[in-house]
Amino acid sequence: MPTYRDEGVVLRTHHLGEADRIVTLLTRSHGKVRAVAKGVRRTSSKFGARLEPFMVADMQLVVGRSLDIITQAVTLGSYAPDIVGDYGRYTAAAAMVETADRLTDHDGSLQQYVLLIGALRSLARGEHAPTLTLDSYLLRALSIAGWAPSFDECAVTGAPGPHSAFSPQLGGMVAAEAAPPGTARLAPETVELLGALLAGDWERVDASSTGIRNAASAAVGAYVQFHLERGLRSLQHIERNMP
């Protein structure tokens, strides 16, 4: 049977039988792959721990009829231990891999793969607050998928900002004359933070206040929920700090 080699990040796993596991991967070159890891739930397994969610591995797989089979796995990024031991990091990572699972298919996206790896690495290292890393990841992942939000100009007319009306269904910030009745209004500091999260301006992001971060997170959540048509289950478990 044909074999292939690729690196991938584990998005989720399911038990199969008494000792096997079905692993859903986002790979660098083969898109999203579902594969069987045989015997990995046994204590004698040599690579079971390498195929847990948030781990990145170089793998050899055998092509199967419905599911491929993982025959080898070498760890490239051991992010799970530093993530699962911290509730804030774990819930943020869970939302990230759920998003990647929803946005990718078997055709794959190298940009989505690289973005997810970078976000998990940053999360494991504790470089920024978990909620900030998550919100930045969500905005960038949606942008790669074709739903880039507009924060600097009106998403409808193109008129330069700043604008205060925020409409997820219209694509971000909109001018007052283009805003539907009841459109949410955001403070200038919140709009500035959203733009910094999208651009990866971490100096500005890290300097933001708790209240502004929470307001930005609410806007990101609304944007994600609209464009993914149903909300991410993982988002409801995210811890927000009170100002």
Side-chain angles (χ1 to χ4, degrees), residues 88-129:
R89 295 182 188 181
Y90 174 77
T91 53
M96 289 176 187
V97 296
E98 184 182 353
T99 301
D101 196 7
R102 295 270 292 276
L103 291 178
T104 57
D105 54 26
H106 297 294
D107 292 333
S109 167
L110 179 58
Q111 286 181 292
Q112 292 285 5
Y113 175 78
V114 172
L115 176 67
L116 179 60
I117 297 298
L120 291 175
R121 181 189 302 115
S122 177
L123 197 62
R125 293 175 177 173
E127 295 176 350
H128 312 284

Side-chain angles (χ1 to χ4, degrees), residues 140-227:
R140 294 185 187 188
L142 287 173
S143 297
I144 293 172
W147 297 309
S150 176
F151 298 128
D152 296 327
E153 59 185 30
C154 176
V156 177
T157 66
H163 303 294
S164 63
F166 176 70
S167 174
Q169 62 268 33
L170 294 180
M173 305 308 298
V174 293
E177 60 271 19
T183 300
R185 304 285 168 165
L186 301 181
E189 296 83 0
T190 303
V191 180
E192 181 179 329
L193 176 56
L194 288 168
L197 287 165
L198 179 59
D201 184 350
W202 288 106
E203 182 177 356
R204 183 174 299 180
V205 168
D206 290 335
S208 60
S209 67
T210 299
I212 297 302
R213 292 180 184 185
N214 288 345
S217 289
V220 172
Y223 196 80
V224 169
Q225 181 171 354
F226 177 81
H227 288 285

Side-chain angles (χ1 to χ4, degrees), residues 5-8 46-47 50-51 55-60 70-78:
R5 198 168 196 90
D6 203 350
E7 64 178 68
K46 296 181 179 180
F47 61 92
R50 303 169 193 170
L51 297 175
M55 295 292 284
V56 183
D58 178 30
M59 289 162 284
Q60 180 170 297
I70 301 172
T71 57
Q72 294 180 12
V74 178
T75 300
L76 296 177
S78 183

Side-chain angles (χ1 to χ4, degrees), residues 1-57:
M1 300 178 69
T3 64
Y4 64 96
R5 198 168 196 90
D6 203 350
E7 64 178 68
V9 55
V10 179
L11 303 181
R12 53 191 170 91
T13 64
H14 298 288
H15 289 174
L16 178 65
E18 295 183 356
D20 303 340
R21 183 181 292 154
I22 297 176
V23 182
T24 301
L25 305 158
L26 179 59
T27 67
R28 173 177 285 274
S29 303
H30 292 83
K32 192 160 63 177
V33 172
R34 295 181 74 237
V36 176
K38 294 183 177 294
V40 295
R41 291 164 55 204
R42 297 192 182 102
T43 55
S44 59
S45 172
K46 296 181 179 180
F47 61 92
R50 303 169 193 170
L51 297 175
E52 294 289 346
F54 321 133
M55 295 292 284
V56 183

